[in-house]
Amino acid sequence: RRYPTVEIRAESFNGSTHVPVPSDSSFLKALLFELRLIDDHIFVEHRDTCTRVNHSSVYSVRTEGGDLWPVLAFQKSGLIYACLPLVEETLEPRPPLLTVTGLSQGLALLLGIVDYLSPSRKNEAEMSAKIGQLRNLLIQACPLGTPLNTNIRSLNCSFDDIQEMPTDENQPAWRSNTYKGKPQVNVCITEKVKCMQYDKRDVVDVWQVYGAVNCKCDIEGSAPNVTLSLNLPTNAPPLQDIVVHHCVTSVDPAMLMSTSAEPLDDSVYNGPYKFPFIPPSDSFNLCYYTSQVPVPPILGCYQLTEEGSQLKITVHLKLHESIKNSFEYCEARIPFFNRGPIAQLEYKLSYGQLDLSREKSLLVWIIGQKFPKSLEVSLAGTVSFGAAGKEHPTDYVCTGSTAYVKLYFRIPDFTLTGCYVDQHSVQLFVPGKPKITASRELISSSYYIWNSKAPAPMVYKTL
């Protein structure tokens, strides 16, 4: 979908440096080329040079009229989601990404489309029908180029069902309907932790935690005011890279200036983080954040060595003492790439249960809902393999002894940053006593422990 009014505004901002948006077919071809989905066998210096490292989903797409920037694009379940946000300032020199407000709006809109389409990804007919309805939905969600409602699923797919605009002039566009009943607010903080551990002296382990605060506010009124506060324990690392939903009416500017790209100093804003907002009718993410936590929740060591036709493996995991020892689930998966099915397995476990996958190429170590009192568990064993077949997993990175253990876990009622919502601090300016429900959770995401006896892909915080 194109917005001529937005393109005219872009031209007025950029003047002589303006790059016009090419035709749909030309743009698609240029985007596929930039994403290396076509002509990936050809080395193109501006695209493939080692000095260019993408840290985000923002690209500069080369067209006949010049370089089109910032193009926000990512792949999900076989589809490409892309948009070109308006930059309300000159593009020469290029402004920092954090100052381009259109990027967060565009990302929210694309994620809303992902949320709308993803349940149908395995049903081709249903997917085609939904894509056919997208144009009508976008007219409601983003009528003139500015997203008004990024929750695409909450919109009506037919113009016949669209309700008249509310007569109350104070009702914001993102409140699509009104609620009748007892006021209640549900808040859930979900933190995900990424980790790469190498167990090597000359390689730095890296980890990152990022969180989202999801809200569902069932409140009467056309424009109810809600104030929610996020709190941190004493001496906890501050929240950084905070991005807020467009329904937030005001925030302390210092809260938004804290970025993980710069070293922490004593002047960093460390809360409490107050968010006054007029909530949408449906569930939404009030804000996103990151934090530089001092330690990962589980420290691990993985050693894999080849002895003749066998592999000898040892895995050692330790839960940090500051982490709540109460899991909904916790398991370590040990895949074996570029090999045949596991023909023989001998092992010794200090804790938990070890299962072999149906394809016989993956060991699943189920640790369960608690670590033992020592907070340490270990696995040692030998594995031998049969003849390799096409059905067994392959990986171009994990060749020879380069291998990993991947952890999966969820800890309810816990966050790695210590971030929490004080139910008594939630303010609703509505009649009646509201019901406030607050929860939190920590979930693993891309949590890898690489074999310390072999080289592994390196990830450094600074290049």
Side-chain angles (χ1 to χ4, degrees), residues 10-219:
E11 189 172 359
S12 68
F13 278 118
N14 302 325
S16 60
T17 62
H18 176 67
V19 178
V21 181
S23 66
D24 291 358
S25 58
S26 299
F27 175 78
L28 176 60
K29 185 177 180 181
L31 179 63
L32 292 175
F33 182 80
E34 181 64 30
L35 295 177
R36 304 186 87 253
L37 296 174
I38 57 173
D39 295 338
D40 61 330
H41 60 286
I42 303 172
F43 176 80
V44 182
E45 186 169 352
H46 81 271
R47 181 190 68 177
D48 303 320
T49 175
C50 292
T51 58
R52 179 184 171 188
V53 180
N54 272 343
H55 294 286
S56 67
S57 298
V58 179
Y59 298 89
S60 177
V61 175
R62 184 157 293 185
T63 67
E64 289 185 3
D67 289 352
L68 207 57
W69 181 90
V71 176
L72 180 61
F74 58 87
Q75 298 179 63
K76 182 80 173 177
S77 303
L79 295 176
I80 301 172
Y81 298 84
C83 70
L84 177 60
L86 175 67
V87 180
E88 297 184 280
E89 55 185 301
T90 59
L91 291 177
E92 297 292 343
R94 284 183 182 174
L97 293 181
L98 285 174
T99 65
V100 182
T101 56
L103 280 172
S104 57
Q105 293 177 333
L107 180 60
L109 182 63
L110 292 181
L111 291 176
I113 297 174
V114 171
D115 187 49
Y116 166 71
L117 292 177
S118 57
S120 311
R121 65 181 185 275
K122 293 183 180 178
N123 187 323
E124 193 171 332
E126 188 179 335
M127 175 71 82
S128 299
K130 282 195 169 186
I131 291 176
Q133 295 164 357
L134 257 183
R135 183 172 179 81
N136 287 354
L137 294 172
L138 280 174
I139 290 174
Q140 303 169 60
C142 191
L144 296 173
T146 300
L148 300 179
N149 188 350
T150 57
N151 189 349
I152 308 296
R153 282 199 299 176
S154 70
L155 301 174
N156 299 299
C157 61
S158 169
F159 281 125
D160 300 332
D161 298 332
I162 298 176
Q163 301 172 356
E164 292 184 9
M165 288 298 290
T167 54
D168 189 339
E169 61 181 16
N170 294 321
Q171 181 167 340
W174 58 82
R175 280 189 68 80
S176 55
N177 52 57
T178 55
Y179 171 79
K180 298 291 182 183
K182 184 179 179 180
Q184 51 187 1
V185 176
N186 291 299
V187 186
C188 179
I189 302 174
T190 299
E191 285 188 358
K192 294 185 177 181
V193 56
K194 282 186 172 183
C195 195
M196 288 275 185
Q197 295 183 36
Y198 302 99
D199 189 35
K200 293 185 177 182
R201 288 185 178 182
D202 57 337
V203 182
V204 180
D205 294 345
V206 291
W207 58 90
Q208 181 191 27
V209 61
Y210 52 100
V213 181
N214 184 268
C215 298
K216 178 71 167 72
C217 303
D218 295 324
I219 308 169

Side-chain angles (χ1 to χ4, degrees), residues 369-381:
Q369 296 180 321
K370 271 186 179 294
F371 274 67
K373 285 186 177 181
S374 64
L375 302 183
E376 297 184 42
V377 293
S378 60
L379 160 67

Side-chain angles (χ1 to χ4, degrees), residues 290-307:
T290 68
S291 183
Q292 299 181 40
V293 293
V295 290
I298 298 176
L299 289 167
C301 170
Y302 177 36
Q303 294 185 346
L304 178 150
T305 53
E306 295 196 42
E307 295 184 355

